[in-house]
């Protein structure tokens, strides 16, 4: 609901209230964002205005050494007021929301309120950019939009702000549009997407930092007088700093306390800044990174900033995560695959790397089929002369020497086996050693007169140039048409350097990076609309472009090139703060792991990967029968629980050395729990598994699938039981281990939801060095267990 009561405007979601006021100068004062005041359509205007009066700052005297706004308002200093949007030059020295230089070189701007319009049941979205969908699962109007118009008269600029509230979510989305109504070109230096001025200090900012194979590590920073910036300047939203952040209190926990989750629907360089002013007011900003950005706005033209989303929760980080997950599932994901179960797949990359050919591919496919998988992805190495990563990107024709049947042929062969074909592509890139580059060296980003810097031996095609986008639409469209694929993995393995578009004049080069992103979106839009049934997966050397912008086109993203189960548990936990599990694709790979050389058990690799869109990425044909049987079991278990894992409510019950997760079905009748330990410790206290998110009034069965314990795990302790001496790792040791299996612990309890959530199940004790029986949980380094919860009559 959105209400305007005189000069006060309030936006209400089911559990939150957002309030602002138009001052008599025309500035928009931000009053409040937080827990709902319970206002609805029937609340008298007078009550709303009285509350807004009580919240508004009182400006009684000028503050020393600040700028008074004007003679009539000597006590109004823009430096110490919570503003809905800010600019430069009229006394607010804080980080601005919008900055531009008019044709006379002036950078002073001052946007004042002109009009507020409430668009009932309507949503306005930025042009050429990804946007949140209006249709939710609520009743009546799915959403309402507040359309504010502000104007800077001297510069003849109009600023429009759009805020949308949704019936089925507490998320508010917003974006800004700047229109040049003057007769002169405007040099826009920034137009951000979201400003959040909070009346107090004492905030922390959680950001998600990382690198290749080390994505999404949460870092908590104190917001203080020195501004903090979380930004990307590598051309993509980046593994360095994800655009999802959280503002929260120092004592906020997983289950309690105030948090504001903030994210941007944008896949290029982004910028989030937070700082307090001298009076303890906090400003947060988010949008396209202003670093290196300029945009020449001709008379009559407008510029749209990307859409941003914000969500307040008083229920800690978990509250934010579940609210964001629901919003992403309902309003960001779209198309055929929005709610569809994602197929279990086998990917050829870590199975064969570049050493892939039709024979090997089909052998892998047959094994995948035997294990119950649904799709096989032909990763890098299928096209042109692509023998390694030094060549052939851009030459998107199948290498017939490697694949004599062509893409159509292998797709048909897979179909006959009941499998779908997935295909890897990296459309945005070109290798210098390629037919494409030799024919069109002018189609790349290239700083004039400079040697090009290298990144995985490839260059960026100039997607800022519409003719390149057009070329790619045709070329990639033809590949997908020919291949008859049901899945596409869209990779992007180079960060930006030498940023310069030969298609743009010198004064517009500051537009290149953003124009690239616009070109990318137009390419993704055309191809996803042309192939609506294809499941597209985003990828950028793993998670170098994991954001809501990509998720508006591709419903899942390869979370990381790191497939080590322990690293993945941390990385997936990082994503889970802002993104639902179904969006993160996760694979079981071989050991020693290719990124860490760590050995983890097959069950732990599966137990982590199943909390995502599951795949396998290893040479199945080389696995011993016992392992293949285990994989078969895993795939069938995943299919049984897939809808819960992909669409359930996710709770991080514990993080750190021990990871405890639970994912609960929407109807609360089923749940899957994970217990994972990084490093074992001796003589551990009892482990209680306290669930969350269940129905307290239902009865549930909590159980595990008991697993046999491998005698080899006990090393030479075997001699404490064996009547004859067995040398560790000897043939005899192995032979005995093969036939003699120890029973693993059993958990099987039928209790109430209330008991399961409040007291929890005391699990069988972990091995402690003083004995072992079938009631002992053999819990070594990197061990894990899945527990299943099912409502019973
Ligand atoms: C990087 C991706 O993240 C990998 O999964 C794989 O597809 C390679 N590129 C292929 O070059």
């Amino acid at each position: 609901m959105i209400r305007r009561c005189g000069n006060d405007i309030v936006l209400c979601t089911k559990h939150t209230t957002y309030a602002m006021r138009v001052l008599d100068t025309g500035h928009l004062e931000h009053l409040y964002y937080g827990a709902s005041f319970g206002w609805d359509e029937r609340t008298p205007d007078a009550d709303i205005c009285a509350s807004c009066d009580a919240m508004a700052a009182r400006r009684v005297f000028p503050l020393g050494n600040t700028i008074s706004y004007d003679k009539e308002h000597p006590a109004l200093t823009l430096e110490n007021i919570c503003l809905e949007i800010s600019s430069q030059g009229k006394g607010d020295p804080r980080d601005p929301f919008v900055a531009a230089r008019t044709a006379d070189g002036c950078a002073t701007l001052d946007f004042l309120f002109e009009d507020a319009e409430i668009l009932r049941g309507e949503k306005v979205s930025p042009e050429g950019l990804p946007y949140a969908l209006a249709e939710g699962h609520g009743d009546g109007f799915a959403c309402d939009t507040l359309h504010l118009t502000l104007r800077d008269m001297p510069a003849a600029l109009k600023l429009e702000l759009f805020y949308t509230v949704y019936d089925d979510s507490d998320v508010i989305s917003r974006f800004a549009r700047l229109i040049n109504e003057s007769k002169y070109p405007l040099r826009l230096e920034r137009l951000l997407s979201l400003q959040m001025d909070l009346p107090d200090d004492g905030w922390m900012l959680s950001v998600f930092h990382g690198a290749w194979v080390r994505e999404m590590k949460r870092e908590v920073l104190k917001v203080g007088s020195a501004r903090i910036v979380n930004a990307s300047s590598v051309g993509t939203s980046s593994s360095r700093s994800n655009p999802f952040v959280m503002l929260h209190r120092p004592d906020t926990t997983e289950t309690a306390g105030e948090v504001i989750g903030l994210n941007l629907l944008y896949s290029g360089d982004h910028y989030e800044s937070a700082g307090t002013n001298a009076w303890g007011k906090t400003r947060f900003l988010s949008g396209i990174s202003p670093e290196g950005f300029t945009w020449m706005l001709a008379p009559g033209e407008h510029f749209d900033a990307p859409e941003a989303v914000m969500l307040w929760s008083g229920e800690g980080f978990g509250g934010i995560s579940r609210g964001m997950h629901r919003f992403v599932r309902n309003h960001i994901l779209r198309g055929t695959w929005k709610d569809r179960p994602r197929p279990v797949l086998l990917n050829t990359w870590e199975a064969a790397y570049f050493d892939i050919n039709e024979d090997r591919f089909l052998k892998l496919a047959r094994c995948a089929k035997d294990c119950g998988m649904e799709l096989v992805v032909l990763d890098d190495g299928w096209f042109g002369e692509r023998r390694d990563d030094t060549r052939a990107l851009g030459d998107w024709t199948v290498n017939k020497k490697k694949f004599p049947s062509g893409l159509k042929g292998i797709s048909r062969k897979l179909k006959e086996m009941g499998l779908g074909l997935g295909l890897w592509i990296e459309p945005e890139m070109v290798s210098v050693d390629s037919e494409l580059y030799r024919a069109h060296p002018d189609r790349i980003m290239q700083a004039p007169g400079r040697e090009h810097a290298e990144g995985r031996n490839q260059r960026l095609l100039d997607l800022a140039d519409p003719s390149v986008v057009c070329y790619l639409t045709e070329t990639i469209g033809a590949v997908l048409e020919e291949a008859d694929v049901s899945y596409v993995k869209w990779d992007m393995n180079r960060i930006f350097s030498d940023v310069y578009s030969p298609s743009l004049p010198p004064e517009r080069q500051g537009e290149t990076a953003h124009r690239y992103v616009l070109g990318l979106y137009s390419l993704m839009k055309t191809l996803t609309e042309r192939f609506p049934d294809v499941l597209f997966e985003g990828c950028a050397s793993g998670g170098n472009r994991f954001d809501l912008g990509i998720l508006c086109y591709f419903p899942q993203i390869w979370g990381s090139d790191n497939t080590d189960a322990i690293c993945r548990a941390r990385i997936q936990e990082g994503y889970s703060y802002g993104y639902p599990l179904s969006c993160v694709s996760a694979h079981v790979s071989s050991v020693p792991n290719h990124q860490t050389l760590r050995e983890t058990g097959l069950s732990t690799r599966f137990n982590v990967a199943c909390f995502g869109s599951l795949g396998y990425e290893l040479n199945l044909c080389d696995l011993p029968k016992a392992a293949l049987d285990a994989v078969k079991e895993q795939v069938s278990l995943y299919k049984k629980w897939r809808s819960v894992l992909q669409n359930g409510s996710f709770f991080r019950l514990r993080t750190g050395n021990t990871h405890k997760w639970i994912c609960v079905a929407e109807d609360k009748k089923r749940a899957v729990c994970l217990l994972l330990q990084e490093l074992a410790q001796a003589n551990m206290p009892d482990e209680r598994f306290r669930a969350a998110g269940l129905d307290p009034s239902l009865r549930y069965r909590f159980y595990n699938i008991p697993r046999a314990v491998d005698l080899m795990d006990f090393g030479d302790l075997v001699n404490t039981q064996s009547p004859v001496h067995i040398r560790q790792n000897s043939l005899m040791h192995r032979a005995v281990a093969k036939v003699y299996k120890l029973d693993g612990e059993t958990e099987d309890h039928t209790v109430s939801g209330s008991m399961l959530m409040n007291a929890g199940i005391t699990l069988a004790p972990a091995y402690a060095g003083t004995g072992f029986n079938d009631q002992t949980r053999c819990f070594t380094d990197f061990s894990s267990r899945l527990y299943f919860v099912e409502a019973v009559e």
Side-chain angles (χ1 to χ4, degrees):
M1 178 200 78
I2 301 173
R3 295 266 306 263
R4 177 169 183 192
C5 311
N7 287 330
D8 298 323
I9 301 169
V10 294
L11 295 94
C12 302
T13 68
K14 213 180 248 166
H15 304 102
T16 68
T17 296
Y18 187 99
M20 65 181 90
R21 154 168 289 193
V22 183
L23 300 182
D24 56 2
T25 53
H27 294 100
L28 282 175
E29 181 181 6
H30 175 77
L31 297 179
Y32 176 75
Y33 185 35
S36 166
F37 297 154
W39 291 335
D40 60 22
E41 301 290 356
R42 288 158 310 185
T43 309
D45 279 10
D47 286 8
I48 292 177
C49 293
S51 295
C52 290
D53 273 347
M55 288 188 289
R58 302 191 198 185
R59 286 168 283 273
V60 180
F61 46 77
L63 288 169
N65 186 233
T66 61
I67 300 292
S68 294
Y69 179 63
D70 61 14
K71 285 207 193 74
E72 283 159 58
H73 304 89
L76 174 67
T77 170
L78 296 180
E79 181 171 357
N80 189 29
I81 172 174
C82 289
L83 290 167
E84 226 21 64
I85 63 105
S86 57
S87 52
Q88 281 175 319
K90 298 299 281 180
D92 184 355
R94 293 172 288 179
D95 207 13
F97 177 81
V98 51
R101 235 166 243 283
T102 44
D104 53 9
C106 180
T108 293
L109 291 175
D110 191 21
F111 287 96
L112 302 178
F113 177 83
E114 186 178 275
D115 188 30
E117 189 189 3
I118 297 167
L119 308 167
R120 300 215 184 271
E122 272 182 52
K123 163 103 198 323
V124 183
S125 301
E127 281 170 17
L129 285 159
Y131 56 90
L133 293 170
E135 315 87 53
H137 295 318
D139 300 324
F141 287 133
C143 68
D144 291 331
T145 296
L146 171 66
H147 172 204
L148 296 175
T149 304
L150 295 93
R151 212 176 271 280
D152 180 299
M153 293 297 250
L157 296 176
K158 185 154 101 172
L159 180 63
E160 295 184 315
L161 305 175
F162 297 91
Y163 299 71
T164 300
V165 293
Y166 303 82
D167 282 3
D168 64 335
S169 175
D170 283 317
V171 168
I172 299 177
S173 64
R174 49 197 272 194
F175 81 96
R177 170 174 291 163
L178 185 72
I179 304 150
N180 182 2
E181 294 186 336
S182 78
K183 292 199 222 86
Y184 309 100
L186 179 83
R187 185 183 152 92
L188 182 61
E189 287 169 353
R190 67 163 73 182
L191 179 66
L192 300 184
S193 298
L194 179 148
Q195 174 167 330
M196 175 82 65
D197 278 5
L198 298 159
D200 54 0
D201 57 5
W203 291 92
M204 312 298 283
L205 186 72
S206 275
V207 296
F208 295 84
H209 274 294
W212 177 67
V213 300
R214 199 155 37 75
E215 294 88 348
M216 291 304 277
K217 181 169 177 356
R218 183 172 155 220
E219 205 174 314
V220 183
L221 308 166
K222 187 175 179 337
V223 179
S225 52
R227 191 188 303 156
I228 305 170
V229 171
N230 177 69
S232 155
S233 49
V234 298
T236 60
S237 47
S238 97
S239 49
R240 279 77 170 165
S241 305
N242 195 272
F244 172 70
V245 300
M246 298 184 291
L247 276 169
H248 53 90
R249 301 297 184 181
D251 57 356
T252 295
T253 66
E254 205 41 54
T255 51
E258 203 175 357
V259 196
I260 303 173
L262 301 135
N263 209 343
L264 197 62
L265 282 68
Y266 192 59
S267 310
D269 290 340
H270 60 92
Y271 174 86
E272 290 73 40
S273 80
T276 54
N277 73 358
W279 296 271
K281 290 192 172 66
T282 298
R283 171 166 297 174
F284 173 84
L285 293 167
S286 156
I288 295 179
S289 174
E291 199 179 296
F293 168 90
T294 54
W295 193 276
M296 297 308 295
L297 207 56
E301 281 183 354
H302 66 268
F303 181 88
D304 282 0
E307 194 160 38
V309 291
M310 57 191 190
L311 171 65
W312 181 92
S313 171
E315 292 175 6
F317 304 120
I320 285 295
S321 298
R322 286 182 291 284
M324 282 292 184
H325 292 186
R326 236 174 291 121
F327 185 78
V328 172
R329 284 200 298 260
N330 291 344
H331 295 275
I332 297 292
L333 307 187
R334 57 200 80 198
T336 316
W337 288 96
K338 180 184 169 97
D339 303 313
R340 262 220 208 152
R342 309 292 164 72
V344 183
L345 57 84
L346 176 74
N347 179 295
T348 58
W349 182 240
E350 286 195 22
Y353 294 102
F354 290 106
D355 197 12
I356 189 75
N357 56 38
E358 185 164 331
D359 189 40
R360 186 159 297 163
F361 180 73
L362 292 174
K363 273 194 187 123
L364 282 168
R366 274 188 283 273
C367 286
K369 180 66 192 171
D370 285 347
C371 292
M373 295 177 204
E374 296 153 318
L375 191 128
V376 186
V377 182
L378 179 51
D379 208 283
D380 202 347
W382 59 267
F383 51 90
E385 293 304 313
R386 185 76 169 168
R387 291 191 293 280
D388 52 35
D389 69 7
T390 63
R391 68 196 87 219
L393 285 177
D395 298 343
W396 300 112
T397 34
V398 67
N399 183 319
K400 284 273 190 157
K401 276 183 254 141
K402 286 184 174 185
F403 293 90
S405 313
L407 294 176
K408 228 193 185 88
I410 57 167
S411 164
R412 187 177 36 77
K413 289 181 186 178
L414 252 51
K415 234 183 221 159
E416 283 163 11
M417 287 187 234
L419 289 166
L421 171 65
L423 196 65
W424 177 94
I425 50 171
E426 194 175 359
E428 299 157 68
M429 300 289 165
V430 62
S431 311
V432 172
D433 183 2
S434 67
E435 296 305 322
L436 175 62
Y437 186 83
R438 280 186 279 276
H440 300 286
D442 52 330
R443 284 196 181 147
I444 63 162
M445 292 250 217
Q446 170 74 61
R450 288 174 191 277
E451 190 82 353
H452 206 295
E454 296 301 336
R456 213 194 184 204
N457 314 299
Q458 59 197 56
R459 312 258 154 112
L460 281 154
L461 286 170
D462 180 14
L463 269 69
D465 179 349
S467 72
V468 174
V469 174
C470 205
Y471 162 78
L472 283 174
T473 309
E474 279 168 30
T475 313
I476 302 299
V479 174
L480 303 189
E481 198 78 67
E482 189 221 316
D484 189 15
V485 291
S486 41
Y487 161 108
V488 166
K489 177 174 171 188
W490 183 305
D491 208 344
M492 196 279 189
N493 286 303
R494 188 199 206 281
I495 62 169
F496 284 31
S497 72
D498 303 272
V499 177
Y500 190 96
S501 170
S503 71
L504 293 171
E507 68 279 12
R508 285 194 174 270
Q509 288 301 327
E511 302 175 14
T512 306
H514 180 56
R515 283 191 186 274
Y516 179 99
V517 180
L518 293 176
L520 172 69
Y521 288 146
S522 120
L523 180 61
M524 288 160 74
K525 182 173 185 299
T526 318
L527 290 174
T528 49
E529 282 174 1
R530 182 161 155 204
F531 301 96
D533 293 331
V534 170
L535 169 59
F536 281 83
E537 173 169 298
C539 172
S541 307
N544 197 41
R545 199 164 59 186
F546 200 113
D547 58 70
L548 297 182
I550 296 294
L551 288 172
C552 284
Y553 304 93
F554 304 164
Q556 61 187 51
I557 303 176
W558 177 228
S560 175
D561 275 358
N562 191 337
T563 55
D564 173 277
I566 300 305
C567 297
R568 263 304 185 123
R570 296 188 205 158
I571 292 168
Q572 288 172 214
E573 212 162 65
Y575 284 122
S576 77
Y577 282 90
Y579 303 93
L581 306 191
S582 69
C583 295
V584 186
S585 68
H587 296 177
V588 173
S589 62
S590 64
V591 285
N593 175 268
H594 293 191
Q595 294 76 44
T596 60
L597 298 182
R598 191 191 337 247
E599 297 259 2
T600 53
L602 182 58
S603 65
T604 288
R605 281 174 272 153
F606 167 75
N607 293 350
V608 173
C610 75
F611 279 79
S613 286
L614 177 71
Y616 286 75
E617 189 164 335
L618 75 173
N619 190 344
L620 287 177
C621 305
D622 279 358
L623 287 189
K625 178 163 180 319
L628 275 178
D629 288 345
V631 168
K632 210 180 278 183
E633 240 182 86
Q634 293 176 343
V635 173
S636 106
L637 190 71
Y638 182 73
K639 285 181 182 166
K640 180 170 171 206
W641 290 90
R642 168 161 57 185
S643 63
V644 178
L645 286 159
Q646 291 185 356
N647 298 317
S649 292
F650 181 70
F651 295 77
R652 290 170 298 269
L653 302 172
R654 200 197 298 173
T655 58
N657 188 53
T658 302
H659 303 260
K660 266 190 196 172
W661 302 342
I662 181 169
C663 198
V664 184
E666 219 175 322
D667 64 4
K668 300 189 178 187
K669 297 235 167 95
R670 302 202 303 156
V672 184
C673 315
L674 170 77
L675 174 70
L676 166 71
Q677 167 171 272
E678 296 194 359
L679 295 182
Q681 285 160 65
N683 200 5
M684 287 294 283
D686 280 343
E687 185 74 63
R688 280 267 184 127
F689 204 104
R690 270 174 69 174
L694 300 173
D695 181 340
S697 65
L698 288 181
R699 284 186 75 68
Y700 292 96
R701 177 173 170 227
F702 175 100
Y703 65 96
N704 69 344
I705 298 174
R707 301 265 168 230
V709 177
D710 191 344
L711 201 62
M712 297 299 287
D713 288 352
F714 291 89
D716 73 354
L717 279 174
V718 65
N719 288 306
T720 61
Q721 304 295 319
S722 168
V724 293
H725 184 76
I726 298 176
R727 196 157 50 82
Q728 190 177 349
N729 288 333
S730 61
L731 269 179
M732 170 141 78
H733 194 185
R734 282 172 207 285
V736 173
K738 213 167 185 179
V739 285
Y740 188 69
K741 295 280 177 213
L742 304 172
D743 286 336
E745 86 284 6
T746 303
E747 302 290 351
D748 202 340
H749 314 267
T750 298
V751 294
S752 71
S754 165
M755 183 275 171
L756 205 42
M757 291 190 289
N758 290 306
I761 306 289
T762 303
L763 301 175
Y767 174 78
T770 45
F772 180 84
N773 59 23
D774 64 359
Q775 289 310 310
T776 310
R777 182 163 36 93
C778 190
F779 221 50
T780 55
D781 286 353
F782 321 131
S783 282
S784 66
R785 296 286 187 276
L786 288 184
Y787 302 105
F788 302 94
V789 180
E790 280 181 273
V792 290
E793 292 305 311

